[in-house]
Amino acid sequence: MKGLVICGVRKSFGPQPVLRGIDLEVPEGSFTAILGPSGSGKTTLLRIIAGFERPDAGTVRLGSQLVDDAGDNWVPCEKRRIGYVPQEGALFPHLSVGRNVSFGLDRSLRKSARVNQLLELVGLAGLARRYPHQLSGGQQQRVALARALATDPEIVLLDEPFASLDASLRASVRADVQDVLRLANTTAILVTHDQDEALSMADQVAVLRDGVIGQIDAPSGLYGLPRDPELAQFLGEANLLDGMIDGQMVTTALGLSPMMPGVAQAEGSEGSIPHGPARVMVRPEQFLLSADDGSHERGVEGVPGVVRSYEYFGHDAVVRVQPDADVGVPELVVRITGGQPWRSGAKVRLKVHGSVVAWLVEKSLPATPE
C-alpha cells in the first residue's frame, strides 16, 4: 500500500511525553485531518512525518519505504518526497511567484512549463512575475501549495495553513486547496485545531488529545457517534444530560428517545443488552422548538422552558433555552433555521427529534493509554 502508515510512535521532550503511542494509516489519495487542541502533539506528529523531528519509538512508512524506525533507519526530510505547506506560507519575499514555485526543482526544470502548469492548477495563471507582497493572503497560500506540489510529492503536509487568513477568506481558500489536491490526486494531511475545517475538508479525521488518537473516523461518524462525552463536546456544540439506558431506548428529563446504536454497546460486554445510568448527547439541531401557549401537556409536546438569548447567523440561529426548574436540566443550546426571531423571556416547548447518543456512565471515560 502507498500512503502513510505510523505504528507506535512516541515522543517526549525531556520528562514531558508529547506523543504516547500513535497508530495512524493514511490511504493513498486521501485527505486526512489531524484535529486537536493546542498542546495535544499534532504539530510534533507532523514534524516527525516530515522528518524534521525523530520519534523516540515506533515506525513511519511512506508507501513501502521505512523512513524512520527511531533507530538506525532514517531517511532525511529532503529525500522523503514530501511537500510541506507551513502556517504562514513562508514565501521568499525577494523572489517572484514563479521563482518561489520553482525553488525546489532541479535547475533544468526551473524554466520549463511545469511552473505555469502549477500556477494554472492553483488558479494563479499569469501571476508568475508578481512578488508575494503584491498578493492577497489567500493567493500567497496558493503559491505555497503550488511550491509544495512542484516536486510531485507522494504526500503533502499542511500545518494550519489557513490560520492567518481573514474569516471571509478562509472558507473559499479551503475549498480551493481541497479542489487542487483532489485534481492532483495527492495524499494530504492537514493539522488543525479548527473543527469546522477538519470536518468540512477531510475524508477521515483523527482526533488527537493528550498524545493519543482518541478516535479516527469519517467526519459524519465522528460528529454523529463520538466515542465519549469529552469528544462530543470537542466536535461541536453538545447538550449533555443524565439518563437511563434500557435496551435500545434512553430516558432523560426531556422524555424517551431511541438510542443510536454503537457507543454504549461497544463499551459493554459483547452480546449484552446495555442497561443503566448514562450520559446522553443531544446535538442543538436535534431540538424542535415551538411557542408555549399553555395548552400542551408535558411529555406530549415537549418540556416547557424560557428563551434566554437568540443569536442570528444568517444560515441559522442559536437559541439558548432554560427549561423550567421542575424539568431538572441546565440551559440547553438549540440550533434552528428560518422562522421568526425568538425574544428573550419567551415561553417555549422543547422536543428531542430523532435518535440520541448515550454512554453508560461507568464506561464513558476510559483511561488514557500510557
Side-chain angles (χ1 to χ4, degrees):
M1 173 196 133
K2 291 186 179 179
L4 171 75
V5 178
I6 295 172
C7 293
V9 163
R10 294 173 178 265
K11 180 67 177 178
S12 296
F13 293 104
Q16 180 63 42
V18 177
L19 301 177
R20 301 168 181 260
I22 300 294
D23 296 314
L24 178 65
E25 184 173 317
V26 178
E28 181 184 13
S30 69
F31 195 128
T32 294
I34 300 173
L35 174 65
S38 297
S40 60
K42 58 187 185 296
T43 296
T44 298
L45 179 58
L46 199 74
R47 289 177 61 81
I48 287 173
I49 295 169
F52 303 151
E53 297 277 357
R54 298 206 63 192
D56 299 329
T59 60
V60 179
R61 290 183 178 273
L62 288 173
S64 60
Q65 184 182 23
L66 176 66
V67 296
D68 204 337
D69 65 356
D72 295 334
N73 293 301
W74 180 66
V75 176
C77 54
E78 65 272 16
K79 296 184 178 179
R80 292 194 183 189
R81 293 195 62 199
I82 287 178
Y84 183 72
V85 181
Q87 186 172 124
E88 302 293 338
L91 301 180
F92 300 111
H94 62 291
L95 297 182
S96 67
V97 165
R99 291 180 67 190
N100 263 283
V101 173
S102 66
F103 183 79
L105 294 174
D106 290 336
R107 290 184 179 276
S108 60
L109 296 174
R110 291 184 182 180
K111 294 185 178 181
S112 69
R114 176 68 173 161
V115 172
N116 289 331
Q117 290 170 352
L118 286 165
L119 289 176
E120 185 174 354
L121 179 66
V122 299
L124 297 177
L127 301 185
R129 293 182 180 274
R130 291 196 185 180
Y131 285 82
H133 72 272
Q134 297 174 309
L135 305 178
S136 68
Q139 288 174 324
Q140 289 180 27
Q141 286 302 97
R142 292 189 187 97
V143 174
L145 179 60
R147 183 176 62 186
L149 292 170
T151 56
D152 194 22
E154 291 189 12
I155 189 166
V156 170
L157 307 179
L158 302 110
D159 188 3
E160 304 216 36
F162 316 110
S164 61
L165 299 181
D166 294 339
S168 58
L169 270 178
R170 209 169 294 148
S172 62
V173 176
R174 284 197 311 236
D176 291 343
V177 168
Q178 192 174 20
D179 288 343
V180 168
L181 290 170
R182 285 181 175 163
L183 284 171
N185 195 31
T186 302
T187 308
I189 297 177
L190 167 73
V191 158
T192 182
H193 65 275
D194 187 316
Q195 293 93 337
D196 291 341
E197 196 167 282
L199 295 176
S200 65
M201 293 186 72
D203 303 313
Q204 66 173 3
V205 180
V207 180
L208 191 60
R209 57 180 183 182
D210 300 323
V212 296
I213 292 178
Q215 187 173 353
I216 183 167
D217 204 342
S220 59
L222 276 179
Y223 184 80
L225 203 63
R227 183 168 291 169
D228 57 49
E230 186 182 32
L231 271 172
Q233 291 181 307
F234 181 65
L235 293 163
E237 291 276 9
N239 298 286
L240 296 178
L241 308 170
D242 293 328
M244 182 67 70
I245 295 175
D246 187 4
Q248 299 302 313
M249 304 298 290
V250 59
T251 302
T252 69
L254 303 181
L256 186 67
S257 299
M259 189 173 67
M260 188 83 71
V263 177
Q265 292 91 328
E267 298 291 353
S269 300
E270 185 176 353
S272 66
I273 297 174
H275 176 82
R279 290 291 280 167
V280 181
M281 178 189 78
V282 183
R283 291 291 189 192
E285 60 273 17
Q286 288 186 262
F287 284 114
L288 300 178
L289 188 64
S290 61
D292 186 359
D293 59 7
S295 63
H296 299 296
E297 293 183 12
R298 182 179 169 189
V300 176
E301 295 293 342
V303 298
V306 176
V307 172
R308 293 301 185 202
S309 67
Y310 174 86
E311 297 174 275
Y312 180 69
F313 296 102
H315 47 77
D316 63 11
V318 171
V319 187
R320 296 185 182 274
V321 177
Q322 176 60 63
D324 286 359
D326 62 339
V327 177
V329 298
E331 184 177 277
L332 300 171
V333 180
V334 181
R335 184 174 290 115
I336 60 174
T337 56
Q340 296 295 317
W342 292 93
R343 62 176 177 80
S344 179
K347 293 184 178 181
V348 294
R349 288 264 168 174
L350 281 172
K351 185 177 182 181
V352 178
H353 175 71
S355 301
V356 299
V357 175
W359 304 269
L360 289 166
V361 168
E362 62 271 23
K363 302 289 186 179
S364 63
L365 293 173
T368 301
E370 288 299 326

